[in-house]
C-alpha cells in the first residue's frame, strides 16, 4: 500500500539548542521512500550521519526564536506483515555478529530481571517465533495500552509493575521478555496507518528463523501499514529528537498518515 | 543557493538484471536535501544499504521490459566553495584513520606511478592546499576537458598519455597526483549548476588543513552550485549505476539542474 | 611501565554453552600489547569479531565438561595518566558523531534521572574536566568502594541509594552524572597494577577538551598502570564473558598483574 | 595443525618516517592465535585501528636510525582447506551487502578488461566453484610462478601479458578473472607452511555457495597450513607495511614458519 506521512514539530527556543533528529526514514526491503520532504524554518546548517543502528541522524543547533520542522513522505509499504509460526529459535552461535547486541539488557529493557517470568510465559512452546507470539499475546491481554499515559519512557520493570503504558512502554516489556529467553529483540519507532489516536508509534521486532519479524502488542491483530523511522535497543536510541539542556518542549506536534488509494 | 535537480534513466531490459544504484544524495554540512523523489517503473522491491564510503546504495533486479528510474531533488547548497590557500599538509600520523584509504592507489588512480611527475609539479610550493591548487591549475592548462570523449573511465596513466578526457578522467589524474605526494584525495560524482553541456559531473576533493576541499579542473574557476551524490576512491566506487551481465545500455538519460531564485 | 597480566577462568559445563568473551586487549596509543597468550582447553573453534565499540570479541560454544580459559599478556602502558584541569566542555554540535552515543542513558547509567543532582555537584565550576573531577571526588568521598559487595552490576540509581559498591558500580554512577550534564562518558574494564585486592577492574572515561580522559573514583589518586580490555556504555557492554542459558559459574577465576622492572 | 610463525623486518631510517603496518593476524573460524609477539625497537608509540576490511593496522612514526620490527605467533590452523566442487554461483541480488565491493575493479585487478577472456575460460562449467577452480587451474598451467620476479605489484593486465609473476601477481589475475564473471574475489596475504622458498605469501578467495573459499594457483594442490594476516581488494589494500616518503627499504626481512608436532 501507499501512504502519505507527515510529521510537524515546532519549538519556541530561548537559547541556541543542539538537537539530534532522527526523522528521515530509510528505504529498505520493507518500505520504499518514493518522495520525501524535510524542511527546517529557519534554515540552519545540518550535518547528517549514520548511527550504529543504520539510522540517518541530523545534527543542528536551533537558534533562539521560533523553530519548526516539517517532514512528509510518500511511502510504499507492505500490505501484510510476514508471520511465521513455527520459525525456529536461532542458537546463539549461529546469530550474525551484529545481532548479538540485541540480546543485551539496555536502559529501558532490563532483560536480566525477567528470566523467571519469561520462562514461565513460554513454557511448553516451540522455541522461536511461537514464544515471541505468546509474549505479544500476553502483553495484549495483561498490560493496558493507554495512549498518553506516560510522558517519559517507562522501563520494562516499571511498566510491568504499573500494568499499563504507551506503545513504547509495552514494546520495552516485550523486548525485555524476548531477550530474557535469548531471543534478540529491538525497538522500532515510526508510523502506522489508521492508528487511533494518530501519533508516532513504537513496536518491536524479534529475530527468529534467521530474520527480523514485527510484533505489536498494542494492536488487536497484525496488519500492514507500518513505516519504520528508526531502529535501536530501546527508546534511548530511537528518540525522534534528542535535545540538550536546557530543556525545550514542543509547542506543536502533529502526525498525519493518509492512505493513497492508488494500486502500485 | 537552491537547486532543483532531475535525473532520468530508462532501459530496455531483455533478461532480469541486477543493479546497484547510487542515486540518493546525502544531506550534510555542504548540502541539504529538502525534497527528494525516487521512482521506479515498474515498482520493484529495493534494498538500500550504506557502503563503506557512506553512500546510500539501492539494490534491485530490473525485470525484462521497459525499466525507468526517475529522481528529482530540491537542494540547498553553498553559494561559494571554501578555498584556503596556505592550508597546511597534514602529516600522515595526524590523519584520521578513515582518511588513510584515500592515500592508496586505486583502479583508475595509479598514484604509485606519479611520484616524480607530482613532485615536479609542486616544486617550491607550501605543502598542502597550494600544491593541490597547482595540480588543479596544471590539469586545467594541460589536459583538455572534452565532454563525451570517453565512454568508459580512463585511468590517470591513460588520461595523462592522451591529454584529454571527460570530467571523470581529469579527476582521476588529479587524484593520482595528490596521492603521489601523500595528500589524500577522493572522487565525487554529482551535479553542477550551469554545467555546459548539462550532464552528471565529477570532480575531486583533497584533504588538507584538517578537512576536505573541493577542486574541479574542468571549470575556469571554482564557484558554488555543487551537489554531491557519491564519494569514493575513483569511478569504480561511484558509478551511479552498476549493472551485472549481460550488459544493458540506457535508451534514455537526462539530467536537469535548475536554479531556484528564492533567497533562503 | 611494563606489566605482565594473567587472567584464568575455569568452568564445569553441564550442557554445551555459547559464550561471547572479551579478553583480548587492543593495542592503542595508551597501551601496546607486545606479547599475548590466549588458550582454551579444550581447543574449540572460535570466531572473533569487532563490536560496535571496537572491542575484539570471541564467540564459541563450550562443550560439556571442564572448560578453561587462560590469557596472559606483556603490555607497555603509561607511567602517568594524563590530567588536564581546565580542559573545556565540548559543545554538543562539535562532538564527533561516534561520541554522541555516550551521552545517552544506558542499562546501568540512568543519566535521565540525575539532572538535578549532577548540576548541584558541579555548581560554579568551569564546564568540562573540572566538573568530571568534582564528580570523581564526590564519589570518592561519598560512595564507599567495597570490593566483593555486589555479584551483579548495580545501576547508578541503585548504587546512589545504597552508597557503596564495587568498582563497576561506582563507575556507573560517575558515568550517569557526567552524561546528565551532557559530558560523554564510557565504561572501561581492564587491569590495574597494584590493585588491592587484585581482580579485574573497572573505571570510566569522560570526553572533554577534545579527547577521552581517565577517571577512577576507587583510587585515592590517579596513577599509571591501567590496561584496558574493553570499552562500552556500561557493564552490559563490557562483560569479559557473556554466557547464554542455563547459567554456569566459574569454578576458578584468577587475576595477576606484575610489574616488569625493565625500563623501556 | 599448529604453526609457529616469525616475521622480522629492519630498516635504517634517515628521516622520521610514518608507517602503517598490517602485521597482527586476526583470530577467526579458520585460525586461532594462541600466542603472539609484536615488538618494536626502539619502542615508539603505536596507534592501532581496524580498517574497512577488518584488518588490524598499526600506525607509527619510525625515528631516524635503526628501526626493527619483530613479530611471532603460535597459531592453530586448518589441516585441510575446504573445497566444494559444485558450490553454486550466488546471484548478485543475494550477495551480502559487504561482499559487493569485491565485484568492483581495483588498482591491480582490472576486472573490466577480462570479460571475454574469463567467459571463454569457464565455458560450459557450472557457474560457481567450478568456474573458479577452472581459473585457478588455468593460472597454474599458463602463468609461471616465479618467486622474486617482481619488486612492485603487477596488475592483472600486466601479469597476463608477461605470463609470469610472484604469488601476488597470480592472485591479481585470478581475482580479476573471477570478478569479470561476477564472482566476488579478494586478496589474502599471510603465511603458508612449507612454502618454497619461505616468504610471505599471497593467494585469493572467491565467494561462492554462500561463503569464501581459498584458491592458490602457486601450489600444485590445495593443502592446509595457511595463516591469513590481511584481506583486501588487492595488493594496494594489504601491504604488510605502507611507508610514506621518502622511500626506505628493508635492510633485513626474514620469514619463518615451523610446524609444531603437537596434536591439538
Amino acid at each position: 500500500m501507499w501512504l502519505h506521512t507527515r510529521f510537524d514539530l515546532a519549538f519556541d527556543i530561548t537559547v541556541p539548542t543542539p538537537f539530534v533528529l532522527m526523522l528521515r526514514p530509510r528505504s529498505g526491503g520493507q518500505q520504499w521512500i518514493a518522495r520525501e520532504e524535510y524542511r527546517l524554518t529557519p534554515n540552519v546548517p545540518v550535518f547528517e550521519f549514520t548511527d550504529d543502528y543504520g539510522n540517518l541522524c541530523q545534527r543542528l543547533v536551533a537558534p533562539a526564536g521560533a523553530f519548526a520542522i516539517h517532514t512528509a513522505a510518500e511511502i510504499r509499504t507492505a500490505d501484510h506483515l510476514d508471520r511465521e509460526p513455527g520459525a525456529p529459535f536461532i542458537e546463539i552461535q549461529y546469530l550474525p555478529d551484529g545481532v548479538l547486541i540485541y540480546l543485551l539488557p539496555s536502559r529501558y529493557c532490563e532483560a536480566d530481571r525477567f528470566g523467571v517470568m519469561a520462562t514461565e510465559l513460554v513454557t511448553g512452546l516451540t522455541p522461536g517465533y511461537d514464544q515471541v507470539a505468546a509474549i505479544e499475546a500476553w502483553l495484549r491481554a495483561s498490560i493496558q495500552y493507554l495512549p498518553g499515559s506516560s510522558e517519559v519512557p517507562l522501563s520494562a520493570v516499571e511498566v510491568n509493575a504499573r500494568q499499563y503504558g504507551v506503545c513504547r512502554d509495552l514494546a520495552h516489556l516485550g523486548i525485555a521478555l524476548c531477550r530474557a529467553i535469548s531471543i534478540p529483540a529491538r525497538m522500532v519507532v515510526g508510523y502506522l496507518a489508521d492508528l487511533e489516536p494518530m501519533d508516532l508509534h513504537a513496536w518491536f521486532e524479534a529475530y527468529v528463523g534467521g530474520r527480523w519479524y514485527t510484533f505489536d502488542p498494542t494492536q488487536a491483530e497484525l496488519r500492514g501499514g507500518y513505516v519504520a523511522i528508526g531502529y535501536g535497543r530501546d527508546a534511548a536510541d530511537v528518540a525522534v529528537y534528542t535535545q540538550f539542556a536546557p530543556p525545550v518542549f514542543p509547542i506543536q506536534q502533529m502526525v498525519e498518515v493518509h492512505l493513497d488509494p492508488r494500486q502500485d
Side-chain angles (χ1 to χ4, degrees), chain A residues 18-226:
Chain A
F19 275 83
V20 178
L21 305 174
M22 195 186 289
L23 282 170
R24 200 186 284 281
R26 291 281 307 269
S27 286
Q30 312 281 320
Q31 62 188 24
W32 175 248
I33 314 301
R35 193 178 56 76
E36 191 202 359
E37 273 186 80
Y38 199 142
R39 298 182 189 279
L40 306 169
T41 311
N43 246 316
V44 294
V46 187
F47 294 80
E48 193 169 272
F49 71 100
T50 305
D51 72 11
D52 286 347
Y53 308 98
N55 304 305
L56 294 176
C57 303
Q58 300 82 38
R59 304 176 63 171
L60 58 85
V61 179
F67 181 66
I69 301 163
H70 165 72
T71 71
E74 181 187 332
I75 297 166
R76 188 189 61 211
T77 187
D79 290 353
H80 304 283
L81 292 180
D82 291 342
R83 296 183 225 191
E84 196 64 33
F89 173 77
I90 303 297
E91 298 285 340
I92 305 300
Q93 60 269 36
Y94 301 122
L95 290 172
D97 293 340
V99 168
L100 290 173
I101 200 173
Y102 298 106
L103 287 171
L104 299 176
S106 57
R107 170 64 186 92
Y108 297 110
C109 303
E110 308 97 330
D112 48 306
R113 303 284 167 92
F114 286 91
V116 173
M117 178 174 161
T119 304
E120 281 177 13
L121 281 177
V122 303
T123 303
L125 295 172
T126 306
Y129 190 97
D130 296 355
Q131 293 178 322
V132 186
I135 287 168
E136 180 194 44
W138 177 84
L139 287 166
R140 203 173 273 143
S142 313
I143 307 291
Q144 196 185 354
Y145 168 46
L146 213 56
S149 60
S150 65
E151 285 298 309
V152 295
L154 297 181
S155 80
V157 164
E158 291 167 331
V159 71
N160 189 44
R162 185 190 280 206
Q163 303 279 304
Y164 66 84
V166 305
C167 51
R168 177 182 62 201
D169 305 327
L170 273 68
H172 283 154
L173 184 48
I175 292 166
L177 289 165
C178 288
R179 292 184 191 162
I181 51 169
S182 296
I183 293 179
R186 65 181 180 185
M187 183 126 186
V188 194
V189 162
Y191 304 104
L192 172 59
D194 298 323
L195 184 68
E196 284 291 336
M198 182 47 67
D199 200 349
L200 290 175
H201 192 50
W203 59 94
F204 72 100
E205 293 185 348
Y207 192 91
V208 289
R211 50 161 286 197
W212 293 101
Y213 286 91
T214 295
F215 295 89
D216 185 350
T218 72
Q219 302 297 301
E221 55 180 287
L222 279 181
R223 51 192 174 88
Y226 285 80

